[in-house]
Amino acid sequence: QKEVEQDPGPLSVPEGAIVSLNCTYSNSAFQYFMWYRQYSRKGPELLMYTYSSGNKEDGRFTAQVDKSSKYISLFIRDSQPSDSATYLCAMKFGNEKLTFGTGTRLTIIP
Amino acid sequence: DVKVTQSSRYLVKRTGEKVFLECVQDMDHENMFWYRQDPGLGLRLIYFSYDVKMKEKGDIPEGYSVSREKKERFSLILESASTNQTSMYLCASSSNRQGHLNEQFFGPGTRLTVL
């Protein structure tokens, strides 16, 4: 079993819809939960991060962490074609290395 | 703005060739990383370095080596390229000045094809 599981998609939704992206994990020691966005032919860039449990909101994006269920989510409201990308979850504890999910490819249809 | 650059965007090599992938960062970051990215497997850590002349094996170091002679430069070496090393290679760097967050900044990647 992988430490971090993520549905690879692809996921296609119409413009304006709410998008939900999710990851599950098995290592209860993870403390930092991150979402990276990767546009085609580019490297990933950090979109949001959460330390421990709870929610974090940044504009149209909301990150949620449920440590009891070992489940994290990224919600995108009012999705735009410019949100089309691959979204990777990543996790770590302390100073240890990042563990990535496989990434979900998202397409927003105008 | 942090900038991580990689020497080539696309590279085609033959089986058995020695391949060098170069990565340079301009933000004085202590930590540098090499990943490969494959469909269905995500990003997998090959090697990383926390300091000059220092290297640590990641999850899949077999068939690779690295060199870090200067703080800003981290090289990935394929001693004898094989077809199963065809992949997207991503370099990243991070600073110890963010506490444990250590946000990683990625380069644009090098798509390597081994024939």
Side-chain angles (χ1 to χ4, degrees), chain A residues 4-73:
Chain A
V4 178
E5 300 273 4
Q6 184 175 9
D7 187 338
L11 183 62
S12 295
V13 300
E15 183 176 353
I18 295 175
V19 177
S20 172
L21 303 168
N22 311 292
C23 290
T24 59
Y25 62 95
S26 57
N27 189 342
S28 57
F30 286 140
Q31 298 171 301
Y32 287 90
F33 302 91
M34 304 169 188
W35 287 96
Y36 277 81
R37 180 174 60 194
Q38 184 177 20
Y39 289 116
S40 182
R41 291 184 289 277
K42 297 278 176 88
E45 55 181 353
L46 184 64
L47 183 62
M48 294 182 72
Y49 77 92
T50 309
Y51 177 73
S52 193
S53 269
N55 296 357
K56 190 170 187 178
E57 194 171 313
D58 184 1
R60 296 184 294 109
F61 297 88
T62 300
Q64 283 186 355
V65 175
D66 181 349
K67 291 195 82 177
S68 61
S69 302
K70 296 192 181 70
Y71 189 87
I72 72 168
S73 301

